[in-house]
Amino acid sequence: MPEIFIDDKRYEFEGSPVLLQFLLDVGLDHPFFCYHPSLSIPANCRQCYVEVGTPVPNRETGDYELDENGERVIRFFPKLMPACKMEASDGMVVKTHRSSELVKRGHKDVLEFILMNHPLDCPICDQAGECPLQIQTYKYGPEGSRFEHKKVHKPKRIKLGPRVILDAERCINCTRCVRFTEEISQTHQLAIISRGDKNYPATAPGREFDDPYSLNTVDICPVGALTSSDFRFKARVWEMNQTPSIDVTNGKGANIDIWTRDNLVMRITPRFNPNVNDYWMPDFGRDDYRRMNENRISRPEVKVDDTRIKSSWHNAVLTFNEYLSGVNNKEILGIGSAFSSVEDNYALNKLLNRIGVSELVFTPNIEEGSGDGFLISDDKYPNTNGCRLLGLKEMNPAGLNKAISAASVKVVVMMEDDLVGRSVVTAEDLKDKKVIYFGSNNNETSKLADLVVPITCSAEHTASYVNVDGRIQRTIPAKETLYTNRKLNLEMSVGRLDRYATKYDNWSSDDNRIDCVPAWEFIENAAEQSGQPFNFADARDVFEDLSKSIDAFSGITYERMDDELGVVIAGSEKQKVTSA
Amino acid sequence: MSTDWKSFQPLLIPKIPNLHKIDVYEKNGGYKTLKDILTSKDHTPESVTNTVKAANLRGRGGAGFNAGLKWSFMPKPDGGPRYIAANGDESEPGTFKDRQIFEYNPHQFIEGSIIAGYAMDITAVYVYIRGEYRSWINMFQKAVDDAYAKGYLGKNICNSGFDLDMYVHSGAGAYICGEESSLMESLEGKRGYPRVKPPFPAQKGLWGRPTTINNIETLANVPLIMKNGSEWYTSIGAKTHPGPVLYGISGHVNKPGVYEYPTGMLISDLINEVCGGMRGGKKVKAVIPGGSSTPPLRGDQLDGVRMDADSLREAGSMMGTAGMVIMDEDTDMVDVLWRISHFYHHESCGQCTPCRDGTGFLEKTLIKIKNGEGETRDLDLLLDLCTQIEGRTICALADAAAWPVRYTITRFREDFEKRVKKSAFALA
């Protein structure tokens, strides 16, 4: 296997990796700004200098030249080379700042230049705490600056587009944002304008940066130059918890991190998954934090004499069982939801099956032609394939409407899906029927329900979703509900080192907790109340149960989903998402 | 020097009235060499390349690389398009020679381009001309139109079956676009950012296709070589750097201008004989031999220094574009250096950090010294900054910005020390 010597230590490699990436992959910290693994390599920041030499081949023997001591003769490049523009080659010798004073000096020199015109106001900069420039200055920068002149002033607070604001003074011209719009989103909306130290990225005159992926430029900006107009100055990085999760606004299921503070979701950023979304996500997925925070249903609600009142959980369970047992099982219609998780649909289906109700029906929410073939799919719900694999009965909206409005149906049990808001059914259709609605947010459908069961949203539970490509991925709870806490619920965030907070940790908070439970838990409570518990203690039990009873899910576990970055369910990729 | 410069007859811009008109050019033997090459069986693309290589025609754009050797780097034709980008951006302060070719002898350059095109199986030649040269662009466009009308450009040139197009492209006022890779970016309609090499232009140039970039003056030399042979050419001027050169001389001399002489001229001859001596009989203080980026030479160290690559390297400078700036003893080198640094600060494209911010640092420190607020340590700082800038960027502009600073300070330190206060402490 080809070998490379970095700081006198031997490493092996395959193929011809980019030297900088190889350094990072073997765990050697190295400073850089403009390089990004998913973008082209411009080598313009000049931060990742190394000394590089290659052995001298002997043309006659085909071997390498040796010196008098029998050591290989190494021919070094006469200048410092940017590691991002070098490819590892067999026998290459690399000196980083660990072994070369010249490289160390090179890193300092470039940082001195970058900081020369960069505002030194980290305390009021939104990027502080997650700023590559700040981090690398501490690690590799000069102790002070010799620059005693006026800095270059550039425009600040430029609204590039509806979601992105530019502070040109902070910009270090790494061109990551420009390359993103050229190579990834391909809208070509940004370009560097002006020249020399007056450079900064901008849109063409009169144009907006309204790229549907524009906020990714904020993520990859290595300084505080690009900020999200929605998130800026709302929270400090170190105040938030970062929890890996899945985007549920879309059939693609982009991998995300949910950032919470005091049980409020502050922002959503993409998480790297080469099989799904790489480093990116669409802008509207980030807006989903509003759904997680606002307009939530807290505590069950029941309708008594046409008035909606808050109820206790105990009463809600009793009411639920009363509705189901009060009618003939042929008069009950269970409606699943492609918006809800595999576990929730499965639990409801299992309960209703047991009392003799046939499979849940569901209707996908697909807007043909609204996808872009990248990370925005036609399918607006995250779990359409999951419902199919569970064996739920797929119907088109008209079919579902017919099924609901049939006179024989007396009780409708709905998993979270705003069928009224989606105009699948009308208030008229639901008249004279008992409607049980499992939902996390108030909407048109929950308004009409006779019993509303508040359930956790994707930021509060562990649950799995099968995306449009048949990949099953799971969420991890990022914020607490009223009856869970971080310490007891082991599925909780792994964002902070001190993640299992006690009440005495000053960052742990009781604020903003919603009084809701996962849908499967309510169903378990109902089953237990009727004397036949399923014995589901947590979401793992539900998933274990369904992976045993449904072939498609057999052999799949949460551990596999975590380790393999989601598992493609055999055969499911052939299931075409259609509007039926 | 094998030829006597005093009897030298200009070859690049011969003294023939109205030579820029295609009829006059043809009457004086123009395009005959081209016809010979295209129609006779003795010439193949390889033989043309080899002749130019043997003539040791060194690029006139600054780097002085053997043009024939550069041509031979082009890969074998694969049926796809291949390009020449002729560099007439000419923005280096002190350089003003290519425009004389556009004005007085454009057809010799066109003929040279076609021969080069034939040698490398080129599809099209892009002539990139400095945007400020508006009238010269118009003049040259007229010459190209005439050449098309006479069938020297376009399809089936001289009934040889060889096709070649020539396009005139105007720059937009950026010095950096004279750098070969940003010239290509600019031609492609992009921002003039130099490209990282490798890949070299011969592998992946314009639109990802093999491309050779030559200076205008370099290509204008090609018909001479093909007409008279490489031996004749190497007999002109300095041995290792032969041929006629357009010296663009400016500054404090009595008769500044563009003069054509062989390479290897004594700088003292150029000043005293060619340009009629220094203005007011003053002493020479400094000579910038090849455009503002080349290190200046001291006036008292010019003895025996000749204008060719080897002699100038020995003296501590470079041939560059042979755009000489002569300065007399009244010149303040601090002001000169500030003006040069201001230019590089203004023209840095801003792609690489050391140049983008370093040039500004240099200029601001020089302004401080110029205003009498500098200290001795600032001189050391400037030299230190040069080390931080040189050789640390994608293109050579950073070197071009740092060299004048380094060599002006080291060679004219007394001028700087007069302007600065003594530092209370030395810079670490």
mmCIF file of all heavy atoms in Angstrom, chain A residues 44-46 49 105 109 113-114 116-117 146 148 150 192 194-197 199, chain B residues 191 193 345-349 351-353 356-357 364 368 377 384 388 391-392 394:
data_model
loop_
_atom_site.group_PDB
_atom_site.id
_atom_site.type_symbol
_atom_site.label_atom_id
_atom_site.label_comp_id
_atom_site.label_asym_id
_atom_site.label_seq_id
_atom_site.Cartn_x
_atom_site.Cartn_y
_atom_site.Cartn_z
ATOM 1 N N ASN A 44 -7.250 29.621 -2.083
ATOM 2 C CA ASN A 44 -7.049 31.063 -2.018
ATOM 3 C C ASN A 44 -6.776 31.614 -0.618
ATOM 4 O O ASN A 44 -6.252 32.702 -0.484
ATOM 5 C CB ASN A 44 -8.223 31.809 -2.662
ATOM 6 C CG ASN A 44 -9.525 31.611 -1.937
ATOM 7 O OD1 ASN A 44 -9.560 31.337 -0.740
ATOM 8 N ND2 ASN A 44 -10.623 31.735 -2.652
ATOM 9 N N CYS A 45 -7.106 30.871 0.437
ATOM 10 C CA CYS A 45 -6.871 31.452 1.761
ATOM 11 C C CYS A 45 -5.407 31.313 2.167
ATOM 12 O O CYS A 45 -4.916 32.060 2.987
ATOM 13 C CB CYS A 45 -7.781 30.843 2.810
ATOM 14 S SG CYS A 45 -7.342 29.173 3.308
ATOM 15 N N ARG A 46 -4.712 30.340 1.595
ATOM 16 C CA ARG A 46 -3.287 30.106 1.834
ATOM 17 C C ARG A 46 -2.994 29.799 3.297
ATOM 18 O O ARG A 46 -1.912 30.093 3.793
ATOM 19 C CB ARG A 46 -2.437 31.309 1.374
ATOM 20 C CG ARG A 46 -2.807 31.904 0.049
ATOM 21 C CD ARG A 46 -2.864 30.929 -1.050
ATOM 22 N NE ARG A 46 -1.570 30.495 -1.563
ATOM 23 C CZ ARG A 46 -1.416 29.655 -2.574
ATOM 24 N NH1 ARG A 46 -2.467 29.155 -3.176
ATOM 25 N NH2 ARG A 46 -0.229 29.278 -2.971
ATOM 26 N N TYR A 49 -0.738 25.808 4.647
ATOM 27 C CA TYR A 49 0.627 25.521 4.207
ATOM 28 C C TYR A 49 1.243 24.298 4.879
ATOM 29 O O TYR A 49 1.073 24.070 6.076
ATOM 30 C CB TYR A 49 1.539 26.690 4.540
ATOM 31 C CG TYR A 49 1.362 27.900 3.687
ATOM 32 C CD1 TYR A 49 1.331 29.168 4.256
ATOM 33 C CD2 TYR A 49 1.252 27.782 2.312
ATOM 34 C CE1 TYR A 49 1.192 30.298 3.479
ATOM 35 C CE2 TYR A 49 1.115 28.905 1.531
ATOM 36 C CZ TYR A 49 1.083 30.159 2.111
ATOM 37 O OH TYR A 49 0.947 31.264 1.350
ATOM 38 N N ARG A 105 5.479 29.456 11.064
ATOM 39 C CA ARG A 105 5.559 30.871 10.726
ATOM 40 C C ARG A 105 4.575 31.203 9.603
ATOM 41 O O ARG A 105 3.899 32.228 9.635
ATOM 42 C CB ARG A 105 7.009 31.187 10.308
ATOM 43 C CG ARG A 105 7.250 32.541 9.705
ATOM 44 C CD ARG A 105 7.331 33.635 10.761
ATOM 45 N NE ARG A 105 6.946 34.910 10.184
ATOM 46 C CZ ARG A 105 7.787 35.825 9.704
ATOM 47 N NH1 ARG A 105 9.071 35.614 9.804
ATOM 48 N NH2 ARG A 105 7.355 36.943 9.180
ATOM 49 N N ASP A 109 1.753 34.026 9.686
ATOM 50 C CA ASP A 109 1.799 35.136 8.733
ATOM 51 C C ASP A 109 0.443 35.349 8.067
ATOM 52 O O ASP A 109 -0.041 36.478 7.947
ATOM 53 C CB ASP A 109 2.847 34.853 7.646
ATOM 54 C CG ASP A 109 4.261 34.901 8.200
ATOM 55 O OD1 ASP A 109 4.413 35.374 9.334
ATOM 56 O OD2 ASP A 109 5.177 34.468 7.501
ATOM 57 N N PHE A 113 -2.291 38.554 8.335
ATOM 58 C CA PHE A 113 -2.889 39.286 7.209
ATOM 59 C C PHE A 113 -4.409 39.238 7.250
ATOM 60 O O PHE A 113 -5.084 40.228 6.994
ATOM 61 C CB PHE A 113 -2.385 38.704 5.891
ATOM 62 C CG PHE A 113 -0.983 39.140 5.525
ATOM 63 C CD1 PHE A 113 -0.112 38.259 4.917
ATOM 64 C CD2 PHE A 113 -0.556 40.424 5.783
ATOM 65 C CE1 PHE A 113 1.176 38.661 4.564
ATOM 66 C CE2 PHE A 113 0.726 40.841 5.443
ATOM 67 C CZ PHE A 113 1.593 39.949 4.829
ATOM 68 N N ILE A 114 -4.960 38.066 7.551
ATOM 69 C CA ILE A 114 -6.424 37.952 7.560
ATOM 70 C C ILE A 114 -7.012 38.853 8.640
ATOM 71 O O ILE A 114 -8.008 39.544 8.425
ATOM 72 C CB ILE A 114 -6.857 36.488 7.795
ATOM 73 C CG1 ILE A 114 -6.532 35.639 6.555
ATOM 74 C CG2 ILE A 114 -8.349 36.401 8.105
ATOM 75 C CD1 ILE A 114 -6.877 34.183 6.695
ATOM 76 N N MET A 116 -5.781 41.495 9.872
ATOM 77 C CA MET A 116 -5.469 42.899 9.650
ATOM 78 C C MET A 116 -6.713 43.735 9.357
ATOM 79 O O MET A 116 -6.944 44.765 9.981
ATOM 80 C CB MET A 116 -4.563 42.949 8.431
ATOM 81 C CG MET A 116 -3.508 43.951 8.439
ATOM 82 S SD MET A 116 -2.638 43.729 6.881
ATOM 83 C CE MET A 116 -3.529 44.893 5.884
ATOM 84 N N ASN A 117 -7.521 43.260 8.427
ATOM 85 C CA ASN A 117 -8.703 44.021 8.050
ATOM 86 C C ASN A 117 -9.996 43.424 8.609
ATOM 87 O O ASN A 117 -11.082 43.851 8.255
ATOM 88 C CB ASN A 117 -8.809 44.112 6.530
ATOM 89 C CG ASN A 117 -7.799 45.096 5.967
ATOM 90 O OD1 ASN A 117 -7.592 46.169 6.532
ATOM 91 N ND2 ASN A 117 -7.149 44.716 4.887
ATOM 92 N N ARG A 146 1.067 43.650 14.092
ATOM 93 C CA ARG A 146 1.974 44.779 13.877
ATOM 94 C C ARG A 146 1.302 45.853 13.035
ATOM 95 O O ARG A 146 1.916 46.820 12.629
ATOM 96 C CB ARG A 146 3.241 44.283 13.186
ATOM 97 C CG ARG A 146 4.010 43.295 14.034
ATOM 98 C CD ARG A 146 5.153 42.679 13.284
ATOM 99 N NE ARG A 146 4.682 41.846 12.195
ATOM 100 C CZ ARG A 146 5.490 41.178 11.369
ATOM 101 N NH1 ARG A 146 6.799 41.276 11.511
ATOM 102 N NH2 ARG A 146 5.011 40.430 10.414
ATOM 103 N N GLU A 148 -0.647 48.931 12.380
ATOM 104 C CA GLU A 148 -0.970 50.107 13.185
ATOM 105 C C GLU A 148 -1.753 51.131 12.384
ATOM 106 O O GLU A 148 -1.754 52.310 12.695
ATOM 107 C CB GLU A 148 0.342 50.757 13.682
ATOM 108 C CG GLU A 148 1.153 49.857 14.570
ATOM 109 C CD GLU A 148 2.570 50.382 14.775
ATOM 110 O OE1 GLU A 148 3.008 51.220 13.975
ATOM 111 O OE2 GLU A 148 3.215 49.939 15.726
ATOM 112 N N LYS A 150 -5.231 52.200 9.639
ATOM 113 C CA LYS A 150 -6.691 52.093 9.604
ATOM 114 C C LYS A 150 -7.099 50.849 8.820
ATOM 115 O O LYS A 150 -6.537 50.571 7.759
ATOM 116 C CB LYS A 150 -7.283 53.330 8.942
ATOM 117 C CG LYS A 150 -7.472 54.458 9.894
ATOM 118 C CD LYS A 150 -8.493 55.466 9.351
ATOM 119 C CE LYS A 150 -8.690 56.604 10.324
ATOM 120 N NZ LYS A 150 -8.212 57.901 9.822
ATOM 121 N N ILE A 192 -17.982 37.456 -6.246
ATOM 122 C CA ILE A 192 -17.151 38.428 -5.547
ATOM 123 C C ILE A 192 -17.125 39.698 -6.394
ATOM 124 O O ILE A 192 -16.932 39.631 -7.613
ATOM 125 C CB ILE A 192 -15.724 37.885 -5.380
ATOM 126 C CG1 ILE A 192 -15.720 36.600 -4.544
ATOM 127 C CG2 ILE A 192 -14.802 38.933 -4.778
ATOM 128 C CD1 ILE A 192 -15.883 36.790 -3.076
ATOM 129 N N SER A 194 -15.752 43.968 -6.685
ATOM 130 C CA SER A 194 -14.653 44.856 -6.337
ATOM 131 C C SER A 194 -13.327 44.104 -6.430
ATOM 132 O O SER A 194 -13.277 43.013 -7.003
ATOM 133 C CB SER A 194 -14.868 45.449 -4.950
ATOM 134 O OG SER A 194 -14.089 46.594 -4.815
ATOM 135 N N ARG A 195 -12.273 44.698 -5.885
ATOM 136 C CA ARG A 195 -10.963 44.129 -6.131
ATOM 137 C C ARG A 195 -10.097 44.250 -4.888
ATOM 138 O O ARG A 195 -10.311 45.145 -4.068
ATOM 139 C CB ARG A 195 -10.317 44.886 -7.291
ATOM 140 C CG ARG A 195 -9.191 44.179 -7.967
ATOM 141 C CD ARG A 195 -8.930 44.743 -9.341
ATOM 142 N NE ARG A 195 -8.426 46.101 -9.289
ATOM 143 C CZ ARG A 195 -8.308 46.885 -10.355
ATOM 144 N NH1 ARG A 195 -8.686 46.445 -11.541
ATOM 145 N NH2 ARG A 195 -7.848 48.099 -10.246
ATOM 146 N N GLY A 196 -9.124 43.366 -4.756
ATOM 147 C CA GLY A 196 -8.154 43.461 -3.669
ATOM 148 C C GLY A 196 -8.811 43.394 -2.309
ATOM 149 O O GLY A 196 -9.738 42.618 -2.100
ATOM 150 N N ASP A 197 -8.356 44.248 -1.385
ATOM 151 C CA ASP A 197 -8.900 44.152 -0.034
ATOM 152 C C ASP A 197 -10.276 44.809 0.088
ATOM 153 O O ASP A 197 -10.817 44.895 1.181
ATOM 154 C CB ASP A 197 -7.908 44.702 1.008
ATOM 155 C CG ASP A 197 -7.405 46.082 0.649
ATOM 156 O OD1 ASP A 197 -8.047 46.738 -0.207
ATOM 157 O OD2 ASP A 197 -6.377 46.507 1.204
ATOM 158 N N ASN A 199 -12.721 43.531 -1.759
ATOM 159 C CA ASN A 199 -13.559 42.421 -2.222
ATOM 160 C C ASN A 199 -14.660 42.031 -1.246
ATOM 161 O O ASN A 199 -14.423 41.985 -0.056
ATOM 162 C CB ASN A 199 -12.679 41.163 -2.327
ATOM 163 C CG ASN A 199 -12.030 41.028 -3.662
ATOM 164 O OD1 ASN A 199 -12.215 41.859 -4.517
ATOM 165 N ND2 ASN A 199 -11.282 39.961 -3.836
ATOM 166 N N ARG B 191 -14.526 36.347 -13.587
ATOM 167 C CA ARG B 191 -13.741 37.299 -12.834
ATOM 168 C C ARG B 191 -12.262 36.963 -12.997
ATOM 169 O O ARG B 191 -11.878 35.801 -12.999
ATOM 170 C CB ARG B 191 -14.142 37.148 -11.365
ATOM 171 C CG ARG B 191 -13.469 38.087 -10.440
ATOM 172 C CD ARG B 191 -14.008 37.870 -9.037
ATOM 173 N NE ARG B 191 -13.167 38.573 -8.101
ATOM 174 C CZ ARG B 191 -13.239 39.871 -7.876
ATOM 175 N NH1 ARG B 191 -14.139 40.584 -8.501
ATOM 176 N NH2 ARG B 191 -12.429 40.464 -7.023
ATOM 177 N N TYR B 193 -9.509 36.056 -11.786
ATOM 178 C CA TYR B 193 -8.761 35.421 -10.708
ATOM 179 C C TYR B 193 -7.774 34.439 -11.327
ATOM 180 O O TYR B 193 -8.177 33.588 -12.102
ATOM 181 C CB TYR B 193 -9.705 34.627 -9.809
ATOM 182 C CG TYR B 193 -10.253 35.347 -8.589
ATOM 183 C CD1 TYR B 193 -11.159 34.704 -7.759
ATOM 184 C CD2 TYR B 193 -9.873 36.636 -8.262
ATOM 185 C CE1 TYR B 193 -11.680 35.325 -6.638
ATOM 186 C CE2 TYR B 193 -10.387 37.258 -7.141
ATOM 187 C CZ TYR B 193 -11.295 36.607 -6.326
ATOM 188 O OH TYR B 193 -11.797 37.211 -5.215
ATOM 189 N N HIS B 345 -1.200 47.495 -4.623
ATOM 190 C CA HIS B 345 -2.324 47.410 -3.684
ATOM 191 C C HIS B 345 -3.639 47.585 -4.449
ATOM 192 O O HIS B 345 -4.599 46.857 -4.257
ATOM 193 C CB HIS B 345 -2.176 48.500 -2.614
ATOM 194 C CG HIS B 345 -3.301 48.528 -1.622
ATOM 195 N ND1 HIS B 345 -3.616 49.633 -0.900
ATOM 196 C CD2 HIS B 345 -4.175 47.577 -1.243
ATOM 197 C CE1 HIS B 345 -4.649 49.379 -0.112
ATOM 198 N NE2 HIS B 345 -5.007 48.132 -0.302
ATOM 199 N N HIS B 346 -3.641 48.549 -5.340
ATOM 200 C CA HIS B 346 -4.845 48.843 -6.104
ATOM 201 C C HIS B 346 -5.205 47.709 -7.051
ATOM 202 O O HIS B 346 -6.377 47.446 -7.308
ATOM 203 C CB HIS B 346 -4.623 50.131 -6.897
ATOM 204 C CG HIS B 346 -5.824 50.594 -7.660
ATOM 205 N ND1 HIS B 346 -6.946 51.082 -7.031
ATOM 206 C CD2 HIS B 346 -6.085 50.622 -8.977
ATOM 207 C CE1 HIS B 346 -7.840 51.407 -7.946
ATOM 208 N NE2 HIS B 346 -7.351 51.132 -9.132
ATOM 209 N N GLU B 347 -4.177 47.029 -7.575
ATOM 210 C CA GLU B 347 -4.427 46.037 -8.619
ATOM 211 C C GLU B 347 -4.494 44.598 -8.118
ATOM 212 O O GLU B 347 -4.775 43.697 -8.891
ATOM 213 C CB GLU B 347 -3.345 46.145 -9.701
ATOM 214 C CG GLU B 347 -3.411 47.443 -10.489
ATOM 215 C CD GLU B 347 -4.675 47.543 -11.343
ATOM 216 O OE1 GLU B 347 -5.325 46.517 -11.569
ATOM 217 O OE2 GLU B 347 -5.007 48.674 -11.751
ATOM 218 N N SER B 348 -4.210 44.369 -6.839
ATOM 219 C CA SER B 348 -4.310 42.992 -6.334
ATOM 220 C C SER B 348 -5.736 42.501 -6.546
ATOM 221 O O SER B 348 -6.699 43.196 -6.240
ATOM 222 C CB SER B 348 -3.978 42.968 -4.846
ATOM 223 O OG SER B 348 -4.283 41.702 -4.320
ATOM 224 N N CYS B 349 -5.873 41.298 -7.098
ATOM 225 C CA CYS B 349 -7.221 40.817 -7.390
ATOM 226 C C CYS B 349 -7.958 40.445 -6.120
ATOM 227 O O CYS B 349 -9.171 40.395 -6.088
ATOM 228 C CB CYS B 349 -7.181 39.630 -8.347
ATOM 229 S SG CYS B 349 -6.665 38.085 -7.604
ATOM 230 N N GLN B 351 -7.614 37.532 -4.434
ATOM 231 C CA GLN B 351 -7.923 36.120 -4.259
ATOM 232 C C GLN B 351 -7.148 35.520 -3.072
ATOM 233 O O GLN B 351 -7.738 34.935 -2.185
ATOM 234 C CB GLN B 351 -7.615 35.343 -5.548
ATOM 235 C CG GLN B 351 -8.061 33.903 -5.448
ATOM 236 C CD GLN B 351 -7.888 33.088 -6.704
ATOM 237 O OE1 GLN B 351 -8.547 32.110 -6.877
ATOM 238 N NE2 GLN B 351 -7.000 33.483 -7.593
ATOM 239 N N CYS B 352 -5.824 35.673 -3.074
ATOM 240 C CA CYS B 352 -5.022 35.055 -2.015
ATOM 241 C C CYS B 352 -4.786 36.046 -0.884
ATOM 242 O O CYS B 352 -4.501 37.217 -1.111
ATOM 243 C CB CYS B 352 -3.665 34.616 -2.546
ATOM 244 S SG CYS B 352 -3.747 33.637 -4.029
ATOM 245 N N THR B 353 -4.840 35.525 0.318
ATOM 246 C CA THR B 353 -4.698 36.378 1.496
ATOM 247 C C THR B 353 -3.395 37.184 1.529
ATOM 248 O O THR B 353 -3.443 38.398 1.746
ATOM 249 C CB THR B 353 -4.821 35.526 2.762
ATOM 250 O OG1 THR B 353 -6.032 34.780 2.665
ATOM 251 C CG2 THR B 353 -4.837 36.381 3.994
ATOM 252 N N ARG B 356 -3.688 40.039 -1.036
ATOM 253 C CA ARG B 356 -4.844 40.909 -0.810
ATOM 254 C C ARG B 356 -4.598 41.850 0.352
ATOM 255 O O ARG B 356 -4.779 43.060 0.243
ATOM 256 C CB ARG B 356 -6.093 40.061 -0.543
ATOM 257 C CG ARG B 356 -7.329 40.884 -0.246
ATOM 258 C CD ARG B 356 -8.514 39.991 0.083
ATOM 259 N NE ARG B 356 -8.322 39.236 1.297
ATOM 260 C CZ ARG B 356 -8.381 37.913 1.388
ATOM 261 N NH1 ARG B 356 -8.630 37.193 0.334
ATOM 262 N NH2 ARG B 356 -8.191 37.310 2.550
ATOM 263 N N ASP B 357 -4.202 41.307 1.481
ATOM 264 C CA ASP B 357 -4.003 42.146 2.655
ATOM 265 C C ASP B 357 -2.573 42.647 2.774
ATOM 266 O O ASP B 357 -2.339 43.734 3.278
ATOM 267 C CB ASP B 357 -4.429 41.369 3.900
ATOM 268 C CG ASP B 357 -5.935 41.156 3.934
ATOM 269 O OD1 ASP B 357 -6.664 42.102 3.616
ATOM 270 O OD2 ASP B 357 -6.377 40.047 4.249
ATOM 271 N N LYS B 364 0.286 51.045 3.291
ATOM 272 C CA LYS B 364 -0.025 51.888 4.446
ATOM 273 C C LYS B 364 1.230 52.207 5.261
ATOM 274 O O LYS B 364 1.387 53.312 5.781
ATOM 275 C CB LYS B 364 -1.091 51.210 5.310
ATOM 276 C CG LYS B 364 -2.465 51.308 4.657
ATOM 277 C CD LYS B 364 -3.500 50.467 5.334
ATOM 278 C CE LYS B 364 -4.812 50.544 4.569
ATOM 279 N NZ LYS B 364 -5.844 49.665 5.109
ATOM 280 N N LYS B 368 3.027 55.937 5.840
ATOM 281 C CA LYS B 368 3.474 56.407 7.154
ATOM 282 C C LYS B 368 4.905 56.944 7.049
ATOM 283 O O LYS B 368 5.208 58.033 7.556
ATOM 284 C CB LYS B 368 3.400 55.222 8.122
ATOM 285 C CG LYS B 368 3.684 55.562 9.565
ATOM 286 C CD LYS B 368 3.579 54.289 10.417
ATOM 287 C CE LYS B 368 4.250 54.475 11.760
ATOM 288 N NZ LYS B 368 4.491 53.195 12.431
ATOM 289 N N ARG B 377 12.107 50.767 12.657
ATOM 290 C CA ARG B 377 11.565 49.411 12.709
ATOM 291 C C ARG B 377 10.569 49.157 11.581
ATOM 292 O O ARG B 377 10.354 48.023 11.191
ATOM 293 C CB ARG B 377 10.918 49.142 14.068
ATOM 294 C CG ARG B 377 9.676 49.963 14.349
ATOM 295 C CD ARG B 377 9.212 49.770 15.784
ATOM 296 N NE ARG B 377 8.183 50.708 16.117
ATOM 297 C CZ ARG B 377 6.884 50.378 16.194
ATOM 298 N NH1 ARG B 377 6.499 49.156 15.976
ATOM 299 N NH2 ARG B 377 5.995 51.290 16.521
ATOM 300 N N ASP B 384 10.187 42.238 6.417
ATOM 301 C CA ASP B 384 9.587 41.039 6.971
ATOM 302 C C ASP B 384 8.290 40.699 6.229
ATOM 303 O O ASP B 384 8.000 39.542 5.919
ATOM 304 C CB ASP B 384 9.311 41.275 8.459
ATOM 305 C CG ASP B 384 9.300 39.982 9.228
ATOM 306 O OD1 ASP B 384 10.100 39.097 8.879
ATOM 307 O OD2 ASP B 384 8.492 39.851 10.165
ATOM 308 N N GLN B 388 6.762 37.441 4.009
ATOM 309 C CA GLN B 388 5.461 36.823 4.214
ATOM 310 C C GLN B 388 4.630 36.756 2.930
ATOM 311 O O GLN B 388 3.672 36.021 2.860
ATOM 312 C CB GLN B 388 4.658 37.614 5.260
ATOM 313 C CG GLN B 388 5.089 37.337 6.665
ATOM 314 C CD GLN B 388 4.374 38.211 7.671
ATOM 315 O OE1 GLN B 388 5.000 38.803 8.520
ATOM 316 N NE2 GLN B 388 3.045 38.295 7.588
ATOM 317 N N GLY B 391 6.184 34.380 -2.922
ATOM 318 C CA GLY B 391 6.098 32.943 -3.147
ATOM 319 C C GLY B 391 5.007 32.250 -2.372
ATOM 320 O O GLY B 391 4.970 31.046 -2.274
ATOM 321 N N ARG B 392 4.070 33.023 -1.819
ATOM 322 C CA ARG B 392 3.046 32.381 -0.999
ATOM 323 C C ARG B 392 1.675 32.445 -1.657
ATOM 324 O O ARG B 392 0.667 32.223 -1.013
ATOM 325 C CB ARG B 392 2.975 33.085 0.364
ATOM 326 C CG ARG B 392 4.270 33.051 1.157
ATOM 327 C CD ARG B 392 4.199 32.010 2.253
ATOM 328 N NE ARG B 392 5.435 31.921 3.009
ATOM 329 C CZ ARG B 392 5.577 32.387 4.260
ATOM 330 N NH1 ARG B 392 4.597 33.002 4.845
ATOM 331 N NH2 ARG B 392 6.707 32.227 4.897
ATOM 332 N N ILE B 394 -1.002 32.222 -5.414
ATOM 333 C CA ILE B 394 -1.261 31.430 -6.615
ATOM 334 C C ILE B 394 -0.449 31.967 -7.795
ATOM 335 O O ILE B 394 0.194 31.219 -8.505
ATOM 336 C CB ILE B 394 -2.774 31.431 -6.931
ATOM 337 C CG1 ILE B 394 -3.535 30.651 -5.858
ATOM 338 C CG2 ILE B 394 -3.039 30.841 -8.318
ATOM 339 C CD1 ILE B 394 -5.039 30.760 -5.946
#
